[in-house]
Amino acid sequence: IQYHHVTVTIEDQVAVTHVDQVFRNDQGWTVEGTYVFPLPADASVSSFTLWIDQQPVEAEILSREEARQIYEDIVRQLRDPALLEYMDRGAVRASVFPIEPGEKRRIELEYTQTLPADQGLISYSYPLNTEKFSTLPLEEVVISVDVRSQVPVRAVYSPSHPIVIDRSGDRAFRAGYEASNITPDSNFDLYYSVSMEDIGVNLLTYRDPYTAEED
């Protein structure tokens, strides 16, 4: 995997996630790839783009039952045990064939979901964990999350990754994570609390070891 870029826009709990990945065949022979991406339970796929020899390739949207069989087959072949935790999710699947020696394939995927909120604490998760069984480290991983809220944002933190936070007033912020030559071993999780009467004062009992920001 040459790079794995994720751009997320969240507006009032509605998150649009755009995934951009480039795969490269470093082997001396032609390979066939199968792209499988686990979808959040309530996600709706808005676009999928893969071009092979100037021809678009369509993706197949799998139900939870269909995806579970795919996950089990992959795990049975010991190719990606990380998929076990996505057994209750649907998936996007596409055949990436052929990939000649030295050639690259670029995949772009976009999906929309509504984020859960628990007493003003909103959470977002991206399935980066599936990359931990890659045969080689990812050359570049970039995740950018742009959040806009109708009510003030009180605190922002990630328990999974070191992030940089850039605030634009009290109702918007951007959180970013970047790494090179890395093998991810956990999902990317982001939490932020919004001001709802007085409950925001008691929302965060976790002190993020990487970064935390409170008003």
Side-chain angles (χ1 to χ4, degrees), residues 22-183:
V22 167
F23 302 86
R24 185 182 62 233
N25 178 14
D26 287 338
Q27 307 298 328
W29 54 86
T30 301
V31 299
E32 176 177 3
T34 299
Y35 181 82
V36 179
F37 186 94
L39 291 169
D42 61 344
S44 174
V45 177
S46 52
S47 67
F48 179 91
T49 306
L50 166 63
W51 294 84
I52 297 179
D53 297 330
Q54 300 182 341
Q55 297 295 321
V57 174
E58 293 187 4
E60 182 181 7
I61 309 300
L62 305 178
S63 66
R64 283 185 298 177
E65 292 73 20
E66 293 171 319
R68 184 181 298 112
Q69 184 62 54
I70 297 297
Y71 297 156
E72 289 175 348
D73 289 345
I74 293 175
V75 171
R76 193 175 298 116
Q77 297 172 43
L78 301 178
R79 291 203 308 221
D80 197 344
L83 288 173
L84 281 171
E85 68 181 81
Y86 302 113
M87 286 298 186
D88 62 343
R89 293 190 180 191
V92 175
R93 180 177 65 176
S95 178
V96 188
F97 178 82
I99 309 178
E100 302 293 340
E103 282 193 350
K104 301 176 183 179
R105 293 289 182 264
R106 182 182 181 186
I107 291 177
E108 290 186 89
L109 167 68
E110 186 172 280
Y111 62 90
T112 303
Q113 66 186 119
T114 301
L115 302 180
D118 182 8
Q119 296 185 340
L121 184 63
I122 299 171
S123 61
Y124 172 84
S125 182
Y126 179 78
L128 195 60
N129 185 40
T130 56
E131 303 286 22
K132 72 179 181 181
F133 291 98
S134 298
T135 55
L136 294 173
L138 281 65
E139 294 184 15
E140 183 182 64
V141 177
V142 178
I143 300 178
S144 176
V145 185
D146 192 357
V147 176
R148 294 186 293 274
S149 173
Q150 290 187 1
V151 294
V153 176
R154 298 185 65 86
V156 183
Y157 75 96
S158 171
S160 60
H161 293 78
I163 59 174
V164 174
I165 301 171
D166 181 18
R167 284 187 177 267
S168 301
D170 63 353
R171 299 172 188 263
F173 69 88
R174 177 171 294 175
Y177 165 74
E178 296 186 16
S180 301
N181 298 316
I182 186 173
T183 302

